[in-house]
């Protein structure tokens, strides 16, 4: 009879699916009103012989059931823990947050990088309108009326509206004029922004971006210009020994004027920046022409300064290996996904600009 009870209780123990169910089985077998406890209570009514034999058998059964309960409890507890660990698993190698879908356009990123470098040198950012008048875009910059350099700019003129000839600015240099008219020296500004020329091929788009620099003070000289641009180019392209070559050139608004080349190699059809003996033009610069200072109300016998200007797309293409200028403005999402930047990669000097 006890054997049948044992089998029944053991199968109940093994069938208990969780800890509360198992505890029910325990109460049912060993609790105050449990089945084994019930048999124990009956021992008193037996003869000493029978009581001894039956008592031993009941004790053995009780121990066996208690042991089975403990074993089952341990199994259930470890299964429970395992399920919980599985459910609460954390992959610490996953990114902190899902990667954002949007991308920063290479032009924005490049301008941010440039601003970060020049800000470190103490330049402030200045702005001017995209729609300019002839005075700010040309005349004040020492382009006399009818000067051939005006034609070289492929200017978009707006339909005549009154006495002022309006146009889309062909360079960021009018921001120099606006700054000098509104601010007393010393001046140290950069002006990033859109510019427009009527031209379209592999290396020209009707809208493109430039960044202008202007420094005016009493003793500013060509050495300062050179140091500033060497410093900038090395930081921007992240090449410590990048050589710069200053070639004499002409701009109406600077005298002397220079075009700046950076060192490169074109071996094997691959462009590499550095001290390799070959050269690549990247910007125009010079000492601000006294006529420009005077046109902007600055005493050219007391003040002098330098200016520079460069194409943002051009340097972005060089830095990031983008082959065709036109793709910048085609708004192709696949292109942007490939060449764009993750929004939280905000350029700053400390973390390094190239990643
Ligand atoms: N504005 C010139 C251009 O667009 C660049 C430049 C700026 C040259 C400042 C010298 C000084 O070609």
């Amino acid at each position: 009879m006890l054997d049948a009870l044992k089998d029944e209780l053991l199968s109940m123990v093994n069938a208990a699916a969780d800890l509360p169910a198992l505890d029910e089985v325990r109460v049912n077998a060993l609790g105050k009103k449990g089945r084994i406890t019930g048999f124990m209570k009956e021992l008193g009514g037996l003869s000493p012989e029978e009581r001894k034999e039956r008592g031993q058998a009941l004790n053995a059964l009780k121990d066996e059931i208690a042991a089975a309960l403990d074993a089952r409890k341990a199994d259930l507890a470890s299964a429970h823990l395992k399920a919980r660990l599985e459910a609460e698993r954390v992959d610490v190698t996953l990114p902190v947050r899902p990667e954002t879908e949007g991308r920063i356009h290479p032009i924005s990123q490049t301008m941010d990088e440039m601003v970060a470098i020049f800000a470190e040198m103490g330049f402030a950012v200045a702005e001017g309108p995209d729609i300019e008048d002839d005075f700010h875009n040309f005349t004040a910059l020492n382009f006399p009326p009818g000067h051939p350099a005006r034609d070289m700019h492929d200017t978009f003129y707006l339909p005549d509206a009154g006495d002022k000839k309006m146009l889309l600015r062909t360079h960021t240099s009018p921001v120099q004029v606006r700054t000098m008219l509104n601010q007393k020296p010393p001046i140290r500004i950069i002006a990033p922004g859109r510019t427009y020329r009527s031209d379209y091929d592999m290396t020209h788009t009707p809208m493109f971006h430039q960044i202008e620099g202007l420094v005016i003070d009493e003793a500013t000289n060509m050495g300062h210009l050179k140091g500033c641009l060497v410093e900038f180019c090395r930081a921007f392209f992240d090449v410590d020994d990048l050589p710069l070559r200053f070639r004499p050139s002409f701009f109406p608004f600077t005298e002397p004027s220079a075009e700046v080349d950076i060192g490169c190699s074109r071996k094997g059809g691959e462009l590499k920046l550095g001290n390799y003996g070959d050269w690549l033009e990247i910007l125009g610069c010079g000492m601000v022409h006294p006529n420009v200072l005077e046109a902007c109300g600055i005493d050219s016998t007391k003040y002098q300064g330098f200016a520079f200007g460069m194409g943002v797309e051009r340097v972005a293409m060089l830095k990031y290996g983008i082959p065709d200028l036109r793709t910048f403005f085609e708004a192709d999402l696949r292109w942007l996904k490939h060449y764009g930047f993750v929004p939280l990669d905000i350029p700053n000097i400390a973390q390094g600009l190239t990643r």
Side-chain angles (χ1 to χ4, degrees):
M1 199 191 99
L2 286 187
D3 280 347
L5 178 61
K6 181 171 109 177
D7 290 347
E8 188 192 337
L9 289 175
L10 285 178
S11 68
M12 283 168 75
V13 168
N14 288 328
D18 53 24
L19 291 172
L22 188 66
D23 202 51
E24 231 170 81
V25 178
R26 184 188 60 79
V27 171
N28 188 19
L30 305 174
K32 267 190 193 144
K33 292 178 182 155
R35 316 251 306 262
I36 297 177
T37 320
F39 284 127
M40 291 284 198
K41 283 181 188 153
E42 288 167 9
L43 287 176
L46 300 179
S47 71
E49 292 292 289
E50 281 174 324
R51 190 187 306 152
K52 189 177 169 203
E53 197 184 317
R54 180 93 173 148
Q56 278 173 354
L58 278 173
N59 271 331
L61 174 62
K62 188 177 143 188
D63 288 349
E64 200 171 329
I65 297 302
L69 281 166
D70 283 348
R72 180 75 186 147
K73 187 170 175 178
D75 281 355
L76 285 174
S78 82
H80 176 71
L81 180 64
K82 202 169 155 223
R84 208 177 132 183
L85 287 176
E86 205 61 48
E88 293 175 8
R89 191 193 194 100
V90 173
D91 181 352
V92 293
T93 66
L94 285 175
V96 181
R97 58 181 106 195
E99 198 178 289
T100 41
E101 288 277 319
R103 285 289 182 280
I104 300 294
H105 195 283
I107 291 297
S108 308
Q109 181 81 10
T110 303
M111 290 206 290
D112 286 352
E113 290 174 6
M114 294 170 148
V115 169
I117 297 170
F118 284 118
E120 194 88 348
M121 296 185 200
F123 283 79
V125 173
E127 288 183 308
D130 288 17
I131 299 175
E132 267 296 2
D133 52 40
D134 190 84
F135 173 76
H136 291 90
N137 196 81
F138 290 126
T139 309
L141 287 165
N142 199 31
F143 288 78
H147 191 281
R150 289 187 181 220
D151 300 335
M152 282 164 53
H153 276 218
D154 300 307
T155 312
F156 284 115
Y157 285 98
L158 271 67
D160 265 349
D163 46 340
K164 260 201 208 163
K165 211 173 196 180
M166 302 303 280
L167 47 87
L168 295 179
R169 68 178 179 193
T170 58
H171 50 180
T172 40
S173 301
V175 184
Q176 286 186 30
V177 176
R178 290 185 178 275
T179 306
M180 286 189 274
L181 286 172
N182 289 318
Q183 225 169 287
K184 296 239 161 316
I187 292 172
R188 203 185 294 173
I189 55 116
I190 47 166
R194 291 196 175 103
T195 47
Y196 307 81
R197 292 184 197 182
S198 180
D199 208 348
Y200 186 70
D201 60 30
M202 265 281 273
T203 51
H204 298 90
T205 49
M207 189 279 294
F208 58 103
H209 298 77
Q210 284 190 344
I211 187 162
E212 188 85 9
L214 175 71
V215 173
I216 305 285
D217 209 337
E218 290 182 34
T220 309
N221 61 48
M222 196 94 184
H224 297 132
L225 165 62
K226 210 171 162 184
C228 171
L229 292 177
V230 167
E231 190 67 26
F232 166 77
C233 290
R234 292 184 175 173
F236 179 76
F237 291 109
D238 203 19
V239 178
D240 287 343
D241 62 346
L242 186 67
L244 267 68
R245 183 171 77 173
F246 287 69
R247 252 185 312 106
S249 184
F250 173 80
F251 300 102
F253 37 92
T254 48
E255 182 58 36
S257 302
E259 271 169 331
V260 177
D261 302 335
I262 52 173
C264 73
S265 149
R266 294 182 173 89
K267 271 213 191 83
E270 195 200 334
L271 184 72
K272 261 195 305 187
L273 301 182
N275 194 1
Y276 301 111
D278 208 351
W279 300 99
L280 183 76
E281 184 201 320
I282 64 155
L283 61 88
C285 63
M287 299 305 294
V288 180
H289 197 294
N291 288 356
V292 176
L293 294 172
E294 296 298 338
C296 298
I298 291 180
D299 180 356
S300 65
T301 61
K302 187 170 176 207
Y303 291 103
Q304 53 186 349
F306 65 77
F308 57 87
M310 77 189 106
V312 177
E313 285 81 0
R314 183 166 170 76
V315 294
M317 286 165 79
L318 284 175
K319 183 168 179 179
Y320 295 114
I322 302 173
D324 188 333
L325 173 67
R326 290 169 294 197
T327 57
F328 278 94
F329 310 113
E330 281 169 356
D332 183 333
L333 280 178
R334 294 162 303 178
W335 183 90
L336 192 55
K337 188 100 196 155
H338 183 79
Y339 288 111
F341 293 82
V342 174
L344 294 174
D345 273 0
I346 297 162
N348 70 73
I349 303 275
Q351 280 181 18
L353 297 167
T354 16
R355 257 171 288 170

